[in-house]
Amino acid sequence: MKAAAIIPAGGIGKRMGLGTPKQFSCLAGVPLLVHTVRAFEQVAEISAIIVAAPMDYLQHTRQLIEQYGLYKVKVVTGGELRQDSVQAGLAHVPLECDFVAVHDGARPLISPELIRACLAAAQKTGAAMAAIPVKDTIKEVGADQFIVRTIDRKTLWQAQTPQVVRTDTLRKAFTAAAEKSFIGTDEASFLELINVRMSVVEGSEQNIKITRPDDLLIAEAILMKKEQPSTPLAAPSLRIGHGYDAHQLAADRPLILGGIEIPHPTGLSGHSDADVLTHALCDAILGALGAGDIGRHFPDTDPSYKNISSLKLLARVIATANEQGYTLGNADITVVAQAPKLAPHFPAMREKLAAVCRADQSAINLKGTTTEKMGFTGRKEGIAAHAVVLLQRQAD
Ligand code: MG
């Protein structure tokens, strides 16, 4: 099967209230018309795409086609009515194309699959179009704004495009329409003139026609969702994160590091227990998740976090990671303190941290360093901690 696509895009879209015709307005940074043409370029059976553009935009359209590397396209001058544009396109259908697929330039979310389904159906029945069953209850309303009757929607379908017809049949239908001065809004209505029946293929709710500015927002949302599948498999298997924290030393506070209270004349001050090591670790995990930082999750303006054990915060951070499908691969943490000596306390810290992180102790490495009396840590004004972590995605 060889087919040509005709894309009537000759209108100048007065309903959109934009400076340029709607087919050139951008959807996710790409002109509508380009989205539309791209779908047809992906269908092997389509060997030629004829775009009928407004006279004043011929040059612009040709530039776009070149800019986006669309290689099957021929741009011709469209007309004021949709049917004028289709007829103009029909004159340029290559001889070897026995079918024509007509598709609205302003339906940019058409999928190659739906185009193929319409082509396949047309090959069987001679003519086929995309359509969707009507979902809403339909009322016939009089000029006085009163309902005349409710129409049985069971037999009603909403026409979409593409509409695929044998090339010679469509030519015949257009000749008949010209003789009768018939004005129609789609190809199916032209075929009715010559008593040719068209079959329907269930279309897609996403194959919307852009007619009002709001439609662009809807189309953009649909497009974003298509391009960012939220399946767990799409998530990376490893994520890296970094955390840094520092707290002041004060005389009247206990010194808590890694969930362990260490005997020392001064301790760290802060809203929670000020466990600087655990805070750096929390920040690293949140960083790996792309979830901001500890201040966002546990604000120090919230009285419920006053003097709270930071291991509880860590447990919540780990739970967040687990919910997103990640476990701690490993963590490497460096505490910067002039005093006290921390190494003797590391085994106990490791045990606590590993238990909260639901990880093996070997996954947590602790290091201590002084800054040789330089800076705020060197002057014993405070203690700082750095952490890096790797999170691993659990097998699904
Ligand atoms: Mg902190």
Side-chain angles (χ1 to χ4, degrees):
M1 180 190 203
K2 272 204 171 174
I6 296 178
I7 298 177
I12 46 171
K14 294 181 185 100
R15 270 180 288 185
M16 293 286 280
L18 301 168
T20 50
K22 64 184 174 186
Q23 56 273 37
F24 303 114
S25 46
C26 280
L27 184 57
V30 174
L32 282 193
L33 186 62
V34 173
H35 283 283
T36 310
V37 171
R38 272 180 177 166
F40 282 86
E41 291 236 330
Q42 288 173 53
V43 178
E45 293 90 333
I46 301 282
S47 57
I49 300 168
I50 301 143
V51 173
M55 173 92 88
D56 295 345
Y57 289 87
L58 280 182
Q59 197 49 34
H60 180 65
T61 309
R62 288 191 178 119
Q63 269 169 9
L64 282 181
I65 298 303
E66 193 173 325
Q67 184 189 338
Y68 285 92
L70 303 165
Y71 61 99
K72 294 183 187 173
V73 182
K74 178 169 190 161
V75 180
V76 303
T77 312
E80 202 178 320
L81 296 174
R82 183 182 193 280
Q83 68 200 62
D84 298 337
S85 291
V86 175
Q87 190 143 29
L90 211 41
H92 295 270
V93 172
L95 275 177
E96 74 270 18
C97 294
D98 36 11
F99 282 88
V100 174
V102 182
H103 183 75
D104 300 326
R107 287 189 195 269
L109 300 181
I110 180 68
S111 66
E113 293 75 29
L114 184 52
I115 298 169
R116 285 189 200 104
C118 291
L119 290 173
Q123 203 168 17
K124 275 191 207 150
T125 64
M129 64 182 280
I132 49 173
V134 167
K135 282 186 308 195
D136 296 320
T137 301
I138 303 290
K139 307 289 185 191
E140 185 182 326
V141 178
D144 57 358
Q145 298 262 307
F146 277 92
I147 292 166
V148 178
R149 65 191 175 108
T150 300
I151 296 167
D152 182 10
R153 71 174 173 211
K154 273 196 226 108
T155 60
L156 297 181
W157 288 62
Q158 241 173 290
Q160 294 186 338
T161 64
Q163 302 196 358
V164 185
V165 190
R166 286 197 162 278
T167 312
D168 50 357
T169 309
L170 191 59
R171 287 209 170 102
K172 251 184 243 166
F174 268 86
T175 306
E179 281 165 8
K180 294 177 185 171
S181 303
F182 174 80
I183 293 175
T185 52
D186 70 349
E187 287 55 57
S189 57
F190 283 77
L191 294 194
E192 287 167 25
L193 294 179
I194 56 166
N195 297 313
V196 171
R197 295 170 71 204
M198 196 180 238
S199 60
V200 297
V201 168
E202 181 138 6
S204 164
E205 296 282 353
Q206 297 189 351
N207 184 21
I208 60 169
K209 190 172 182 182
I210 309 292
T211 47
R212 298 159 301 138
D214 279 356
D215 297 333
L216 273 178
L217 297 176
I218 295 166
E220 208 142 78
I222 295 171
L223 206 61
M224 289 300 164
K225 197 157 178 242
K226 272 190 183 169
E227 283 174 1
Q228 296 175 344
S230 57
T231 58
L233 287 174
S237 56
L238 293 172
R239 296 196 69 136
I240 193 169
H242 162 261
Y244 170 78
D245 196 20
H247 279 261
Q248 258 182 11
L249 283 162
D252 53 349
R253 294 274 295 184
L255 176 60
I256 294 165
L257 288 172
I260 301 290
E261 185 165 347
I262 297 168
H264 194 60
T266 55
L268 295 171
S269 57
H271 184 65
S272 64
D273 65 1
D275 183 341
V276 69
L277 184 163
T278 304
H279 290 183
L281 178 57
C282 287
D283 262 349
I285 296 167
L286 291 170
L289 293 173
D293 62 19
I294 196 170
R296 193 176 106 192
H297 293 263
F298 314 106
D300 59 12
T301 47
D302 186 333
S304 62
Y305 301 125
K306 187 152 176 64
N307 293 326
I308 192 172
S309 163
S310 296
L311 290 183
K312 286 187 182 164
L313 306 184
L314 178 61
R316 282 203 222 168
V317 168
I318 285 289
T320 305
N322 292 165
E323 278 161 24
Q324 294 185 27
Y326 288 95
T327 53
L328 182 70
N330 73 306
D332 185 22
I333 306 161
T334 303
V335 183
V336 187
Q338 196 61 41
K341 277 213 174 314
L342 298 175
H345 304 284
F346 283 158
M349 290 183 198
R350 245 178 135 186
E351 200 182 323
K352 285 235 168 186
L353 294 171
V356 175
C357 292
R358 299 176 209 171
D360 192 83
Q361 287 190 38
S362 66
I364 292 172
N365 190 61
L366 297 171
K367 308 196 296 288
T369 186
T370 70
T371 47
E372 301 196 317
K373 298 186 179 167
M374 295 180 289
F376 71 89
T377 51
R379 293 187 298 270
K380 301 182 189 174
E381 291 164 15
I383 293 179
H386 301 261
V388 287
V389 301
L390 203 63
L391 298 186
Q392 271 179 329
R393 188 157 185 87
Q394 290 156 298
D396 292 294

